[in-house]
Amino acid sequence: MSAAPGAGSGTAGPAAAAVDPAELPRLRRRTSWVLIASQVLGGVGVPISIALAPVLATEVGGSEALSGFASTASVIGTAAVSLPLAALMTARGRRPGLVLAYAIGAAGSALVVLAAVVRSFPLLMLGMAAFGAASFANFQARFAAADLAAPDHRARAISVVVWASTLGAVLGPNLSAPASRSFAGTSIPATAGPFVWAGAVFVLTGLLLAVLLRPDPLLTARALAGPDEHGHAGHSLRAGIAAVRASARARVALVAVAVSHTAMVSIMVMTPVDLGHHGAGLHLIGLVISGHIAGMFAFSPVMGWLADRLGRLSVIGLAAGLLALAALLAGTAGPNHGQSALGLFLLGLGWSAGLVSGSALLTDSVPAGARAAVQGLSDLTMNTCAAVGGAASGLVMSAAGYGWLNAIAAALLLPMAALALLTARRRAAARK
């Protein structure tokens, strides 16, 4: 039976076209391939330039003390756009929200290039903040993949889109050098060249989504949802908070995503510094970080399969275990670079388990009309916590050392594991 046009949209925006359930498998495949293509492109655009952002900030600001502000501004920008763009997606669907995010990212790239030319540090910070909107789009694509997925395949749908980021994460940094050289002899500084490329990539990605992400997966999912889902749409932070407060499983999911991301970022950003203190060269540091990135993205389909087969809460528990083991290995490695590499690989693997299972559980646990608001709240929380964790990690490192940083990160996992265990027990008791 076909869904009625506009069913499920409630007050949340335009009507969705009728979809014959028999066509749903084909539509799921098409949507998945479009999102995968957008992730490959968008995944190249962010790392191609972000690696040189600290260098550019030093050049424009005139001091190495300002080098960290570029990446911080980008993270703040990602958090700042989370709720407004989530509200847009709640009202109008995934496509306009994702396209606008990439458009803001492209405008941010242009501002960064202009800032480099005129040597304006405030303009550079504004550009980097807008640039962060592209990272929001990259993260939100996983939720777009979940919109039309069958509940028992939702984690796998999310994980495939996360996996598609692998190519960009690996290829992007390697394109930084040719992107820098491509503007030799022009008024554009070499360190700003990658941002020109990134802006072009973001425009291309936005066009791809605008043309091919049809019908809109979020609006279609609402059209296919039962009538009980229709009255729960909300655009605001308050709507997202209300939906999370109403569901214990949603609270676990929100904590799992935020804690996994914060623990990973806090340890990862200081690992190159610790490796350098123990005699590692740039080549070895690069290999360790590459292994970490492989752990983050390359094995996400495995985590999605496990989350669908064993349950979301079980894989959240696995994430806590992997992240704790990673902190133990990295924090006690000292001059043993092989142990550091293993610790960072497991850190990425634990992040993947937490992000995929937490994102699937969050989507499972709230009504269809509230999902976009809750997912925006999730990414706002995740990025805000990670920004605080990344900033605090340097203070902890300088005051107490890398070992204590890992110990504190491991301690953050305790409430996540406790909430998952308590919720699993309550769920098991309710079934008896």
Side-chain angles (χ1 to χ4, degrees), residues 127-141:
M128 287 303 303
F131 183 88
S135 294
F136 168 83
N138 286 354
F139 277 119
Q140 280 287 308

Side-chain angles (χ1 to χ4, degrees), residues 19-304:
V19 175
D20 187 340
E23 292 293 309
L24 198 52
R26 181 191 63 80
L27 182 56
R28 285 169 176 159
R29 289 192 297 272
R30 171 184 166 84
T31 300
S32 179
W33 279 112
V34 171
L35 291 170
I36 286 170
S38 75
Q39 283 298 89
V40 172
L41 285 173
V44 169
V46 173
I48 193 177
S49 49
I50 206 70
L52 289 180
V55 180
L56 182 58
T58 300
E59 289 182 0
V60 173
S63 171
E64 286 190 359
L66 300 175
S67 62
F69 282 86
S71 298
T72 301
S74 178
V75 173
I76 291 172
T78 303
V81 301
S82 295
L83 288 180
L85 291 180
L88 175 62
M89 287 189 282
T90 300
R92 308 297 298 178
R94 296 286 183 197
R95 186 175 64 254
L98 294 175
V99 170
L100 181 57
Y102 280 118
I104 295 172
S109 299
L111 286 176
V112 168
V113 175
L114 178 61
V117 172
V118 302
R119 315 293 282 187
S120 170
F121 190 77
L123 187 60
L124 176 65
M125 294 298 99
L126 179 61
M128 287 303 303
F131 183 88
S135 294
F136 168 83
N138 286 354
F139 277 119
Q140 280 287 308
R142 74 190 192 277
F143 290 124
D147 286 333
L148 295 176
D152 58 348
H153 287 80
R154 191 167 280 152
R156 271 172 278 188
I158 291 171
S159 69
V160 169
V161 172
V162 173
W163 171 83
S165 303
T166 307
L167 180 60
V170 173
L171 184 61
N174 292 297
L175 292 176
S176 294
S180 297
R181 292 193 298 268
S182 63
F183 291 93
T186 72
S187 60
I188 297 175
T191 47
F195 286 91
V196 179
W197 283 36
V201 167
F202 294 157
V203 170
L204 181 61
T205 308
L207 289 173
L208 171 76
L209 291 169
V211 173
L212 297 181
L213 194 62
R214 298 173 183 269
D216 190 279
L218 180 60
L219 299 182
T220 303
R222 288 185 190 156
L224 293 169
D228 290 343
E229 301 274 10
H230 299 172
H232 294 282
H235 302 193
S236 65
L237 174 62
R238 182 177 298 177
I241 292 173
V244 170
R245 289 182 63 183
S247 171
R249 284 160 58 83
R251 292 194 293 274
V252 174
L254 191 67
V255 169
V257 171
V259 170
S260 297
H261 194 58
T262 303
M264 183 277 291
V265 169
S266 300
I267 295 173
M268 182 269 294
V269 295
M270 286 296 111
T271 297
V273 178
D274 181 69
L275 288 170
H277 289 167
H278 291 96
L282 292 178
H283 179 67
L284 179 56
I285 292 173
L287 288 175
V288 171
I289 298 302
S290 294
H292 169 68
I293 292 172
M296 288 176 66
F297 298 112
F299 295 89
S300 57
V302 176
M303 297 305 172

Side-chain angles (χ1 to χ4, degrees), residues 368-390:
R371 281 177 187 160
V374 169
Q375 290 157 353
L377 173 64
S378 172
D379 280 4
L380 170 65
T381 305
M382 176 181 76
N383 286 296
T384 301
C385 289
V388 173

